[in-house]
Amino acid sequence: MPCLSLACHSAGGVVAFAPFRLAGGRGSFATVKSLSVACIVAVAVGAAPPVVVRAQGDAAAPAPAVDPSWLQVDTVTKTVTFQLVAGLTGLNGALNFNGFRDGGLTLTVPLGWTVVTHFRNHDGMLPHSAEIIADTHPLPTGPVAPAFPRAFTLRLDQGLISEQTEDMRFIADRGGSYLIFCGVPGHGAAGMWIRLDVSGSLRTPSLVVTPAGKP
């Protein structure tokens, strides 16, 4: 269960609150919201704006590294196989793919290649799903029509429970930018998505940390 801390800056210094745990486990934001109100009240009486509320250690965690074993390439059959792991780390309350959130990881494949995605839910608490969707903002709050036929896991809205697996297999026959998105309501909009680019000029698939500044 995540442990959070809250602090407000006032004219006389910092008013610190002791760490607390979210009632109801991961994904319960009511406690955070109610404690945030205390900071808002402080601002109303002359204090400076409150600092951001975050899970302890979340922002301080080092940038995740790309594991080469996540990607296998067969140039003969023009097939790329990607290991997609939901909730690999505790980042963002485990609302991440392979330890990345908010588009921080980019899979690029050549136009016309077959993409096989081995999906696994590593999160011990929450269900998750995955689908390829158009790169659209604002992000949808739940599952939408996939960008490619069969580019989705079953039970998109319900998700797969801990350590369940499922494969997606589709042909990347349209170039452009797409999102690998968790369809469980609220998860994708909370940051559980990474990028898929389909390139007509690329000859070899790649999996890299998304360049800084990419929208």
Side-chain angles (χ1 to χ4, degrees):
M1 183 179 295
C3 181
L4 306 185
S5 60
L6 180 66
C8 290
H9 291 274
S10 65
V14 177
V15 179
F17 295 85
F20 62 96
R21 293 187 181 276
L22 288 180
R26 185 185 304 129
S28 177
F29 302 104
T31 304
V32 174
K33 182 182 293 185
S34 62
L35 288 178
S36 298
V37 171
C39 286
I40 295 172
V41 173
V43 173
V45 297
V51 299
V52 175
V53 181
R54 66 175 185 269
Q56 290 183 346
D58 198 50
V66 176
D67 187 336
S69 69
W70 292 341
L71 198 68
Q72 293 85 42
V73 176
D74 187 334
T75 57
V76 175
T77 62
K78 294 186 177 181
T79 300
V80 56
T81 302
F82 176 42
Q83 307 292 332
L84 179 65
V85 185
L88 180 63
T89 70
L91 177 71
N92 195 33
L95 298 181
N96 64 76
F97 284 125
N98 295 56
F100 293 83
R101 59 172 293 182
D102 290 309
L105 183 68
T106 299
L107 169 64
T108 305
V109 302
L111 181 66
W113 276 47
T114 297
V115 180
V116 179
T117 301
H118 296 313
F119 174 81
R120 176 170 65 94
N121 181 16
H122 183 66
D123 190 339
M125 295 181 64
L126 296 177
H128 297 294
S129 63
E131 65 170 329
I132 310 301
I133 67 171
D135 187 354
T136 180
H137 295 273
L139 295 167
T141 57
V144 296
F148 301 94
R150 297 182 296 279
F152 59 94
T153 59
L154 297 177
R155 303 199 310 274
L156 274 172
D157 55 344
Q158 298 176 4
L160 278 68
I161 64 174
S162 180
E163 297 307 327
Q164 278 192 320
T165 62
E166 190 173 335
D167 290 349
M168 292 188 291
R169 185 185 184 96
F170 63 94
I171 298 175
D173 56 1
R174 292 191 305 277
S177 297
Y178 304 91
L179 308 182
I180 303 175
F181 183 85
C182 180
V184 175
H187 290 192
M192 194 169 184
W193 60 277
I194 55 177
R195 297 185 178 276
L196 168 68
D197 287 345
V198 180
S199 171
S201 59
L202 188 75
R203 293 188 176 183
T204 304
S206 66
L207 183 66
V208 299
V209 175
T210 303
K214 182 171 180 177

